[in-house]
Amino acid sequence: MSDAGERPALQSLPEGIVNLADFEAHAQARMTPSAWAYLNGGAADEQVMRANRAAWDALKLWPRVLRDLSGGHTRTSLFGKTWPTPLLLAPIAYQRLAHPDGELASAYAAAAQGAGMILSAQASVPMEAVARAMRQEPTSGPLWFQLYWRDDRGFMAELLQRVEAAGFEALVLTVDAPVQGARDRERRAGFQLPDDVRAVNLGGRKKPLDVAPGQSALFDGLMPRAATWSEIDWLRERSPLPLLLKGLCHPEDAREAMRRGAAGLVVSNHGGRTLDALPSTAELLPLLREAVGPELPLLVDGGIQRGSDVLKALCLGADAVLLGRPYVHALATAGALGVAQALRLLRDEFEIAMALVGCRDVGEAGAHLLWPSRI
């Protein structure tokens, strides 16, 4: 692993990589079967993983032609700031399972390509090193920190202070995983974290479960510790950073998040890793946009792999998209250079799709560019 103060060493890219899917076979060949099962697997029969991808494929674009697109661009605005692209790296835990440089390589790549990054609370690299890497590029995208709720408000308060001091610009609370999903592929592989990979930003020990005989470890042990809407209020009172909620599927929850002062939402089904009986994020996105109106920032993840997927997401109401597993495949393949290449390919494809559909900038994306049009 590179020293936290140094740039990761550049590796060469394998020949023949022309799109994000091309990284997958190279990544699998470079990772242990156990790590591959953890990072690439989903819950149960992995139906949601397949549904996420299939839903983007099913959407068709409806181009306009002979439009003047000179001066077009991919810039977008979130929370009063303008960013080079609507692309962010999704929070993915333990990236040193894929490559020794882990999240540090991903941060340098995101910064170099003008993309944003949401660092997982379960990152295997110190948050301060990741923040420094992003800040070294003035044209980098947003840097946010993803949280899981821990039933220890003293610990959470210290973590929030550390996140703010490091320079993160927003908080993203994952709300759809109070317990881990039943991930069959991971269990069959007997996955365990290696000794040299851990969640370095989460100190201390979790409290042991206090469950009486005959009680459920889940409902009587774990669920009383899970976050509720009152924890949303507490987080907003404790930190001045904008708070986004990640993992909402229901319009009523989206409206409640607005009432509680959430700064934005991430439409997500956890990449198919929690409950294997959920709609795709492409199906959920327009429902949640309708529920919250046009002003609240909405981001989306789940199955994004092509630049045309990015444009489709914006047409459905997203303000930005999160790239997930494909960038981990790129990380495993060639470290920082791999992730940078994946982001460059995605942005190039996005610009091509915009040009061919007659879209000058992200503000012109809308349902009128999807077939069949809803206007």
Side-chain angles (χ1 to χ4, degrees), residues 234-270:
W234 185 87
L235 286 168
R236 289 194 61 245
E237 292 170 359
R238 280 283 176 169
S239 176
L241 299 178
L243 174 65
L244 296 89
L245 304 187
K246 179 180 182 291
L248 286 84
C249 292
H250 201 286
E252 283 302 317
D253 287 336
R255 284 188 278 265
E256 180 64 18
M258 284 187 68
R259 288 191 287 268
R260 300 276 178 163
L265 306 177
V266 180
V267 181
S268 175
N269 51 31
H270 216 98

Side-chain angles (χ1 to χ4, degrees), residues 25-357:
H26 295 284
Q28 187 170 9
R30 286 162 169 77
M31 294 173 63
T32 67
S34 176
W36 180 257
Y38 173 77
L39 288 170
N40 215 55
D45 298 314
E46 300 182 347
Q47 297 179 58
V48 172
M49 285 177 55
R50 294 190 293 275
N52 278 342
R53 181 63 242 152
W56 297 118
D57 285 338
L59 285 167
K60 306 303 177 187
L61 292 166
W62 199 10
R64 300 296 306 275
V65 298
L66 301 176
R67 293 169 59 83
D68 180 6
L69 303 183
S70 57
H73 59 81
T74 63
R75 293 189 295 274
T76 193
S77 296
L78 289 169
F79 307 127
K81 294 183 179 181
T82 299
W83 308 105
T85 78
L87 307 177
L88 294 89
L89 300 183
I92 295 180
Y94 305 121
Q95 292 184 27
R96 290 191 60 233
L97 290 171
H99 189 277
D101 293 329
E103 292 83 357
L104 189 63
S106 298
Y108 274 111
Q113 292 299 321
M117 182 174 186
I118 307 177
L119 184 68
S120 171
Q122 296 176 321
S124 49
V125 170
M127 68 173 76
E128 291 82 2
V130 170
R132 284 195 297 271
M134 289 289 286
R135 287 200 302 267
Q136 287 182 15
E137 293 287 347
T139 59
S140 67
L143 176 63
W144 301 345
F145 190 88
Q146 178 263 342
L147 297 168
Y148 285 106
W149 179 257
R150 183 180 285 190
D151 188 26
D152 181 341
R153 294 198 175 190
F155 168 80
M156 292 297 293
E158 292 176 2
L159 182 63
L160 294 176
Q161 291 175 352
R162 185 179 168 194
V163 167
E164 185 181 356
F168 288 82
E169 300 156 293
L171 303 171
V172 180
L173 178 69
T174 294
V175 297
D176 64 345
V179 298
Q180 183 172 294
R183 300 200 286 261
D184 293 356
R185 195 197 308 199
E186 181 182 321
R187 293 187 292 181
R188 288 192 185 102
F191 172 75
Q192 289 186 327
L193 281 174
D195 292 340
D196 62 340
V197 177
R198 60 187 180 88
V200 297
N201 297 301
L202 300 179
R205 298 178 60 185
K206 292 183 179 180
K207 302 175 185 176
L209 294 181
D210 184 15
V211 180
Q215 288 187 314
S216 164
L218 177 59
F219 288 108
D220 299 305
L222 287 173
M223 294 311 295
R225 301 180 180 183
T228 65
W229 289 109
S230 63
E231 277 69 47
I232 305 304
D233 299 335
W234 185 87
L235 286 168
R236 289 194 61 245
E237 292 170 359
R238 280 283 176 169
S239 176
L241 299 178
L243 174 65
L244 296 89
L245 304 187
K246 179 180 182 291
L248 286 84
C249 292
H250 201 286
E252 283 302 317
D253 287 336
R255 284 188 278 265
E256 180 64 18
M258 284 187 68
R259 288 191 287 268
R260 300 276 178 163
L265 306 177
V266 180
V267 181
S268 175
N269 51 31
H270 216 98
R273 290 173 63 80
T274 53
L275 181 62
D276 195 30
L278 296 173
S280 71
T281 51
E283 293 173 302
L284 291 168
L285 177 56
L287 297 176
L288 269 65
R289 173 52 77 195
E290 183 179 3
V292 302
E295 300 302 323
L296 190 75
L298 283 188
L299 295 86
V300 67
D301 67 7
I304 300 289
Q305 189 167 284
R306 285 285 191 178
S308 55
D309 300 336
V310 179
L311 181 55
K312 291 172 185 179
L314 300 186
C315 289
L316 289 175
D319 294 286
V321 303
L322 310 185
L323 183 64
R325 290 181 179 91
Y327 90 82
V328 179
H329 297 160
L331 174 65
T333 299
L337 183 60
V339 180
Q341 177 71 355
L343 286 167
R344 183 71 258 176
L345 289 169
L346 189 64
R347 184 172 176 178
D348 287 348
E349 289 185 358
F350 177 43
E351 290 183 348
I352 291 169
M354 288 176 64
L356 292 177
V357 86

